[in-house]
Amino acid sequence: MEYDVVIIGAGPGGYVAAIRAAQLGLKTACVEKDPKLGGTCLNVGCIPSKSLLHSSELYHQILHGAGDHGIDAKPTLDFSKMMARKKGVVERFNRGIEMLFQKNSVTKIIGEARFKDANTIEVNGEEIKAKNFVIATGSEPTPLPFLPFDEKQILSSTGALALNEVPKKMVVIGAGVIGVELGSVYARLGTEVEFVEFLDRVCPPLDKTLSKEFQKILEKQGLTFRLSTKVVDAKIEGDVTLTFENKETVTAEKVLVCIGRKPFTTNLNLEALNIETNRGMISINGRFQTSIPNIYAIGDVVDGPMLAHKASEEGVAVAEIIAGENPHLNYLAIPSVVYTFPEVAAVGFTEEELKDKKIKYKVGGFPLKANSRAVAIGEEEGVVKLLADDATGMLLGMHIIAPHAGELIHEGALAIEKRATVFDIANCSHAHPTLAEAIKEAALSIVKKAIHI
Ligand code: FAD
Ligand code: NAD
């Protein structure tokens, strides 16, 4: 039997591609090496981390935040129950994807895929033939060369999501997205968390002014940062002692290494087919085709931000391309969110990117402490920053630190997708009192009509 398309990997790229392909009438199979569908995102990424972020935030708020509201309570922490809840959330969606596959007639094949030729893969010793393949095999954590993961003391994000108890001290190497999210989880539960970051700022892709503001907020929460610091050696003698280039040392029970992820193509046998890669990423053209035209690649295994929704958008687009359609995907309108408290969200260009591109722009901003809803809920740390084209006012970037910034940012994503201007945002009525009014006020500040600042 020959499939129209076989998708390799059932993460948010692969499973979405499979469903869309089947919906378009293509005879579709999805091969996944893990018995549980959903990939990194569902099993050891987005979903378990957000479950723990919310649970730990609740605990922390009751412990430290509720007193200001006149509520005195002393919570007790049942960490194993918190972890069990997280597992339940993941399993619910594992079953959900299974059901979606059944409903859409996607054939699920559990096993590791290995290419034999451009139309054949081998899985569990059997050959599977297809007119087209989509590689959606994702990514894996990058270890430090002298500090391999043992998932007991030297943790990747996967190990940090599966601890049995809350550690006393954790050093986080890499103050990127995983670091600040999982570092926040454990700091809220009582761990002393110290970051070691190679660069001079936290979450380097963020707009620089927001990165600085974000760091200050995290420091107020008790997180500490050693920026511009390189770990050069590590010794495990009971605890782990890290040595930095300046010869200083730090000792901790656990070390979380989150210095980025790398594309995962192990055992696919890409070399035999001469499928081109670039620094480990599979090279593709604008239609997701690899150097072999009937073999496509999407998601973390190709260039671009390693985000679940980016992988899914590519999954839909590649299925539509294989089915003969001409989909459109605007990468500039893909938002990114850091799910700390407050959240940090961005879409479009940063100020530094506009300077590099020599695009003339205007900046508008609004601090949360002048937003009535933020003050009413007692969460007034944060800011909205908008970047607009100098000549036309077209929105070029939206950057937010705020509670629920990950929800608010979609106003910016839609504006960028539809090429809306800051005049459009300023003219649009925003309900009062909402955090979203800070976006309107930031737009009003660019069009010189600010009311509340
Ligand atoms: P993956 O999800 O990695 O899926 C690839 C799948 O392919 C895996 O299931 C793997 O088992 C399978 N596979 C690999 N090789 C083979 C083979 N040869 N044969 C068969 N199967 C194979 N992104 C967000 O947008 N929001 C978040 O909040 C977020 N949080 C994250 C938190 C953490 C801790 C981590 C680690 C990541 C997070 N991400 C988040 C990133 C997100 O998980 C990835 O961008 C996303 O999972 C990429 O999807 P993908 O389909 O490309 O690959
Ligand atoms: P990252 O790229 O976000 O951050 C890695 C950090 O480590 C950077 O700040 C980098 O400067 C630093 N670093 C690199 N080498 C170092 C070294 N030797 N010593 C000290 N610091 C070093 O990577 P990550 O946090 O590992 O996350 C991986 C990917 O997963 C990201 O690309 C992200 O897109 C995705 N992710 C997304 C979310 C989300 O969307 N909320 C959450 C988690 C992960």
Side-chain angles (χ1 to χ4, degrees):
M1 187 200 1
E2 189 185 46
Y3 290 96
D4 292 320
V5 56
V6 169
I7 319 283
I8 305 174
Y15 89 75
V16 169
I19 291 171
R20 188 72 190 122
Q23 285 173 347
L24 291 166
L26 300 173
K27 189 168 179 45
T28 307
C30 184
V31 185
E32 169 55 58
K33 67 182 172 62
D34 193 322
K36 291 179 178 172
L37 304 179
T40 303
C41 172
L42 175 54
N43 295 296
V44 290
C46 324
I47 304 305
S49 61
K50 266 80 254 180
S51 170
L52 291 184
L53 274 156
H54 185 72
S55 300
S56 60
E57 178 56 28
L58 265 180
Y59 173 73
H60 190 261
Q61 283 227 339
I62 298 168
L63 194 63
H64 298 291
D68 289 350
H69 295 263
I71 305 162
D72 281 320
K74 286 195 176 56
T76 44
L77 176 64
D78 185 341
F79 186 59
S80 53
K81 193 168 177 184
M82 195 178 274
M83 295 303 253
R85 180 186 173 279
K86 173 211 74 170
K87 188 164 170 269
V89 171
V90 170
E91 285 170 356
R92 185 162 149 187
F93 286 97
N94 290 139
R95 290 192 297 275
I97 301 172
E98 295 268 352
M99 277 166 53
L100 288 172
F101 273 10
Q102 280 166 20
K103 191 168 165 257
N104 288 283
S105 303
V106 173
T107 303
K108 178 188 84 171
I109 301 167
I110 297 296
E112 190 172 42
R114 181 181 167 83
F115 278 101
K116 291 197 86 175
D117 60 48
N119 292 98
T120 317
I121 53 170
E122 193 179 279
V123 184
N124 304 325
E126 283 182 27
E127 284 191 354
I128 296 171
K129 295 213 169 273
K131 292 191 184 79
N132 302 285
F133 287 97
V134 178
I135 304 172
T137 50
S139 61
E140 61 177 343
T142 308
L144 275 171
F146 54 88
L147 201 56
F149 299 120
D150 61 16
E151 303 299 9
K152 290 187 181 77
Q153 284 185 286
I154 312 303
L155 309 170
S156 71
S157 51
T158 303
L161 287 166
L163 292 181
N164 294 323
E165 47 188 43
V166 178
K168 287 197 176 54
K169 176 151 186 181
M170 179 185 273
V171 171
V172 180
I173 304 182
V177 198
I178 293 183
V180 296
E181 288 189 356
L182 294 182
S184 292
V185 166
Y186 286 103
R188 291 165 187 171
L189 299 179
T191 304
E192 181 189 343
V193 178
E194 177 169 349
F195 286 86
V196 181
E197 166 59 50
F198 188 64
L199 297 179
D200 63 353
R201 55 207 265 203
V202 304
C203 294
L206 288 181
D207 188 275
K208 201 168 182 176
T209 53
L210 266 82
S211 170
K212 293 284 166 209
E213 173 100 14
F214 184 39
Q215 185 187 335
K216 282 189 212 149
I217 293 173
L218 294 174
E219 281 170 342
K220 278 193 207 163
Q221 296 172 5
L223 303 169
T224 57
F225 294 89
R226 285 175 193 258
L227 300 180
S228 309
T229 302
K230 191 174 174 190
V231 183
V232 290
D233 192 26
K235 280 200 175 51
I236 307 179
E237 287 165 345
D239 286 346
V240 189
T241 300
L242 303 177
T243 306
F244 307 123
E245 215 167 21
N246 63 7
K247 307 274 185 269
E248 285 180 21
T249 60
V250 66
T251 300
E253 201 180 331
K254 307 273 181 199
V255 174
L256 167 59
V257 181
C258 40
I259 56 169
R261 292 177 60 87
K262 52 180 182 170
F264 184 81
T265 55
T266 313
N267 296 339
L268 274 175
N269 200 23
L270 298 183
E271 320 70 52
L273 272 70
N274 282 327
I275 292 181
E276 280 168 24
T277 57
N278 178 12
R279 291 175 291 124
M281 290 173 285
I282 298 181
S283 307
I284 48 167
N285 64 16
R287 293 174 67 77
F288 306 103
Q289 285 168 305
T290 67
S291 44
I292 311 263
N294 70 315
I295 302 181
Y296 299 76
I298 57 163
D300 278 12
V301 81
V302 302
D303 196 10
M306 289 185 168
L307 296 172
H309 45 288
K310 176 258 190 190
S312 296
E313 298 295 350
E314 291 182 341
V316 168
V318 79
E320 294 180 352
I321 286 170
I322 293 170
E325 297 184 1
N326 271 312
H328 141 94
L329 212 174
N330 179 0
Y331 284 91
L332 191 62
I334 294 181
S336 62
V337 181
V338 187
Y339 296 86
T340 44
F341 196 91
E343 292 176 351
V344 187
V347 65
F349 294 113
T350 63
E351 201 170 343
E352 295 77 63
E353 285 169 335
L354 292 177
K355 279 184 186 146
D356 282 353
K357 289 178 185 298
K358 303 203 178 346
I359 296 174
K360 288 195 175 156
Y361 61 92
K362 290 188 176 113
V363 189
F366 194 76
L368 246 64
K369 58 177 176 286
N371 173 277
S372 54
R373 182 67 179 277
V375 177
I377 63 173
E379 303 296 352
E380 54 189 272
E381 270 182 318
V383 67
V384 172
K385 174 173 175 177
L386 301 188
L387 300 163
D389 183 82
D390 186 47
T392 63
M394 195 168 78
L395 185 71
L396 297 173
M398 183 181 284
H399 305 272
I400 307 177
I401 301 181
H404 310 295
E407 310 295 335
L408 297 170
I409 198 66
H410 296 98
E411 180 170 356
L414 186 62
I416 289 181
E417 175 64 28
K418 292 293 163 202
R419 304 172 72 82
T421 65
V422 280
F423 299 94
D424 296 320
I425 295 174
N427 285 336
C428 176
S429 177
H430 288 60
H432 177 73
T434 58
L435 298 170
E437 284 176 293
I439 297 174
K440 178 177 170 113
E441 286 284 352
L444 283 169
S445 80
I446 297 184
V447 303
K448 308 270 181 260
K449 287 163 86 177
I451 302 282
H452 290 100
I453 196 100

